[in-house]
Amino acid sequence: MPHSAKHSHDNIVGMIKNEMPDDNQLFDLAELFRIFGDTTRMKIMYVLFESELCVGGIAELLNMTQSAVSHQLKLLKSARLVGSRREGKTIYYFLADDHVRTMINQGNEHILERIKREDK
């Protein structure tokens, strides 16, 4: 490799090493995407994208048992993707913040663009 190419390569490698998140942060990021990697959880997040709902409402909309929905909501809450609030005896669930909406929207845009390219 010519000296100038090696120097440029070294600069790029050094820059990337400085910007690279540590292993703990990369582990957390991988775990976050693992949570997104389940169709049932994605359905629940899409429901909550539209409105906050209780477990019964989500279960009815998705034709699932309340137990199954509760299990998935627990995972979503532990990943801080979903929040909850109590009103009397009822607990309502909602998307935790706009970052979750953005991730869902961007993922969906990526898929739709890919489909458009494949259709051409």
Side-chain angles (χ1 to χ4, degrees):
M1 177 174 354
H3 180 69
S4 64
K6 171 130 176 57
H7 180 69
S8 176
H9 172 81
D10 290 344
N11 287 342
I12 292 169
V13 169
M15 183 187 71
I16 293 170
K17 278 185 180 180
N18 288 337
E19 298 295 321
M20 189 77 153
D22 66 25
D23 286 348
N24 289 332
Q25 189 175 346
L26 290 171
F27 176 83
D28 290 345
L29 185 60
E31 284 296 301
L32 175 66
F33 282 109
R34 184 184 64 78
I35 295 294
F36 272 93
D38 179 87
T39 306
T40 300
R41 288 190 289 269
M42 288 305 303
K43 286 179 183 178
I44 291 170
M45 286 190 286
Y46 259 102
V47 166
L48 297 178
F49 201 94
E50 298 301 324
S51 177
E52 68 176 19
L53 280 172
C54 63
V55 171
I58 297 168
E60 182 180 336
L61 266 169
L62 300 180
N63 197 27
M64 295 173 61
T65 65
Q66 288 190 19
S67 174
V69 169
S70 291
H71 173 73
Q72 297 302 331
L73 284 168
K74 182 179 176 183
L75 293 172
L76 290 166
K77 275 191 76 168
S78 70
R80 294 184 296 279
L81 296 171
V82 167
S84 64
R85 68 173 183 85
R86 179 179 292 276
E87 192 173 294
K89 292 184 177 183
T90 305
I91 299 175
Y92 291 93
Y93 294 89
F94 52 87
L95 291 183
D97 57 41
D98 285 338
H99 293 113
V100 180
R101 290 178 184 282
T102 299
M103 289 188 288
I104 292 169
N105 277 335
Q106 288 185 341
N108 208 27
E109 283 177 26
H110 177 75
I111 290 166
L112 293 173
E113 285 174 11
R114 191 184 72 210
I115 290 169
K116 285 179 188 175
R117 282 192 307 268
E118 290 172 358
D119 286 346
K120 289 183 179 180

